Amino acid sequence: MIFVTVGTHEQPFDRLLKCIDKMIEDGIITEIVIVQKGYTDYEMKNCKAEKLIPYDEMQKYINEARIIITHGGPASFIAPLSIGKIPIVVPRKKDYNEHVNNHQLEFAKEVEKRMGNIIVAETDEEIMDAIMNYDKKKNNMRNINDSNNTNFCNGLEIEIKKLYEKDNEK
């Protein structure tokens, strides 16, 4: 299953949804696709699309999806990263009137460069390539999320085990 989310920003993101719809229509995408389309006016012809999806249901789709495609909002691509999945990130662009500026593009490119754990796709061709070659691309990437919380908890667990072992030696 492929899960696509464009977030809740009030400007439409027709470009991404039209690309996905065409790929389904052309038989490039053959698996089930579920779309959270936000305020995008484009009506998907070849898959299920809902304007907004409740948080718990979104988490379910993120957990179940083989591929998650998201806009460039950090919360949207951090969610799959937090469970060890590599998202395809399609930043909204000012040139297409998808956002007020290109901050999503700039941020996503920087994350891709620094962390190496997201696939940024700007054009229809890049989106198509990212989907068609997803497994190969993700296998060549860092599949980690350097979370300070996770690192702290892992370190704390080690220290607790050491204390427990010392107590048992007495």
Side-chain angles (χ1 to χ4, degrees), residues 92-121:
R92 291 171 174 266
K93 291 184 173 182
K94 181 180 184 334
D95 292 351
Y96 297 103
N97 204 27
E98 297 163 346
H99 220 306
V100 296
N101 58 30
N102 285 327
H103 73 277
Q104 284 194 356
L105 176 63
E106 294 161 6
F107 185 72
K109 284 293 202 181
E110 192 63 28
V111 170
E112 181 181 49
K113 181 176 128 188
R114 285 189 189 188
M115 302 301 294
N117 61 357
I118 64 173
I119 301 166
V120 176

Side-chain angles (χ1 to χ4, degrees), residues 64-105:
E64 292 175 359
R66 181 176 75 85
I67 299 175
I68 297 114
I69 303 170
T70 177
H71 66 116
S76 292
F77 66 77
I78 288 172
L81 286 173
S82 71
I83 60 169
K85 293 192 176 187
I86 303 288
I88 297 172
V89 178
V90 183
R92 291 171 174 266
K93 291 184 173 182
K94 181 180 184 334
D95 292 351
Y96 297 103
N97 204 27
E98 297 163 346
H99 220 306
V100 296
N101 58 30
N102 285 327
H103 73 277
Q104 284 194 356
L105 176 63

Side-chain angles (χ1 to χ4, degrees), residues 20-31 46 132:
I20 297 296
D21 218 15
K22 177 136 180 51
M23 289 179 70
I24 297 167
E25 186 174 301
D26 292 348
I28 296 167
I29 296 175
T30 57
E31 59 198 292
N46 301 295
M132 290 171 52

